[in-house]
Amino acid sequence: MKTKRLFAALLASALALSLTACADEGAESPDAASGDSAGEGPYELSMILKTNASEFWQIVQAGAEAYEEEHPDLVKLSIKGPPGETYYEEQLNSLTTDLANASYDGYLIAPLQSEAVATAIAETDKPVVAFDTDIDSDKCLSFVGTGNKEAAKKGAIAAVEAAKAAGWEEIKCIEIAGVQGDATNTARMEGYREGITEAGGEFLDDEVQYANATADLAVTAMEAIMNKFPDGVAIICSNNDDMALAAARTAAENPAYANTIFLGFDGQKSAVEAVLAGELTMTAAQNNFDIGYKAVETMVKILQGEEYDAVVDTGTEIITKDNAQDRLDRFAEWMS
């Protein structure tokens, strides 16, 4: 372990001179140019999720653990997350505790509040990799995740086309959003707005319903929408699948919403099953297993002094009835 600690000290000096922000398009590890690499492992990594209480994040964790299982001599993970995505203080407290733990060689963070996390990591001399949501900090070397705006835009365009096919002449869209001010929520909203508008629909900014990324509040939001728009709305898009499913099921008995396109985001198993069953129209699916796997992989590249990408886009696919079964087959592989 002495060799590993010496490497960590050298890395700290290099980071102070050459770190670049996560938003850069490419990067080289601090020691890559000299050809140095780590001596002994495994690297001890702190990995902090947005929550460990949802299917999406359990699959992210499964991806990270798959890398650990494949490389037991390289990586030892400590994975944790708060009970939900509004437990800001709990996540920040976990991060603060881990930052004070000298045994960690690096930090993998999915921030609930990017600015607060950027402040917390400002004094660390260890590398940081953000996943799912970016961190605007020179201590963050790479971002691994979905291009949220681009993915939402892709889903919105598909939703407009589906609304046209369903016979809607006036294509209006209302979003049931997540946590107001959250960077990921904002990016997805921007993508929905752009996609709907470019495809010929109308995104109703004044009607956005914030539901804090929870199904219970999405039910209340959908009830409010149906009350205000008794003749139906062409598209209801949501910031995640849990809210999309809750909205679709709430409107299931309302004939005015029989042809409404319900668009989710994440591509979690329950949503894909609902698409296959006809309960949900479509979902913009993240490759969340890859997010976890590639976040750890990227950190290892950094620690070993190898070249790495400052932005790792893990991709998106729009799940409809046509490809839902293929997605379910992959879930079986991920969780096996």
Side-chain angles (χ1 to χ4, degrees), residues 137-287:
S137 168
D138 63 356
K139 299 301 176 75
C140 181
L141 297 178
S142 181
F143 167 66
V144 180
T146 304
N148 283 291
K149 181 177 178 180
E150 294 76 13
K153 182 175 179 178
K154 185 176 179 181
I157 291 171
V160 171
E161 294 306 311
K164 291 176 181 177
W168 289 92
E169 295 181 2
E170 190 175 41
I171 301 177
K172 294 183 178 181
C173 173
I174 296 176
E175 180 181 4
I176 299 178
V179 179
Q180 192 166 12
D182 173 72
T184 298
N185 178 78
T186 300
R188 292 178 186 178
M189 185 181 295
E190 290 174 354
Y192 283 145
R193 184 186 297 110
E194 284 191 14
I196 295 293
T197 303
E198 289 184 16
E202 181 182 359
F203 185 89
L204 303 182
D205 282 286
D206 292 341
E207 303 299 335
V208 170
Q209 300 277 332
Y210 287 96
N212 287 345
T214 65
D216 288 348
L217 290 179
V219 170
T220 302
M222 192 64 224
E223 289 172 344
I225 290 170
M226 290 190 295
N227 185 58
K228 187 169 183 179
F229 297 88
D231 296 328
V233 176
I235 300 169
I236 302 295
C237 63
S238 296
N239 190 58
N240 65 26
D241 284 335
D242 289 340
M243 293 190 296
L245 273 170
R249 288 167 178 166
T250 301
E253 301 301 319
N254 188 330
Y257 286 79
N259 292 324
T260 293
I261 306 303
F262 287 92
L263 167 64
F265 197 113
D266 282 338
Q268 64 188 39
K269 184 179 178 182
S270 55
V272 177
E273 290 172 339
V275 169
L276 200 59
E279 292 182 271
L280 185 66
T281 314
M282 58 181 64
T283 177
Q286 300 190 73
N287 293 315

Side-chain angles (χ1 to χ4, degrees), residues 71-86:
H71 305 86
D73 296 331
L74 274 179
V75 175
K76 180 181 179 182
L77 293 173
S78 173
I79 304 176
K80 55 190 71 70
E85 292 191 32
T86 56

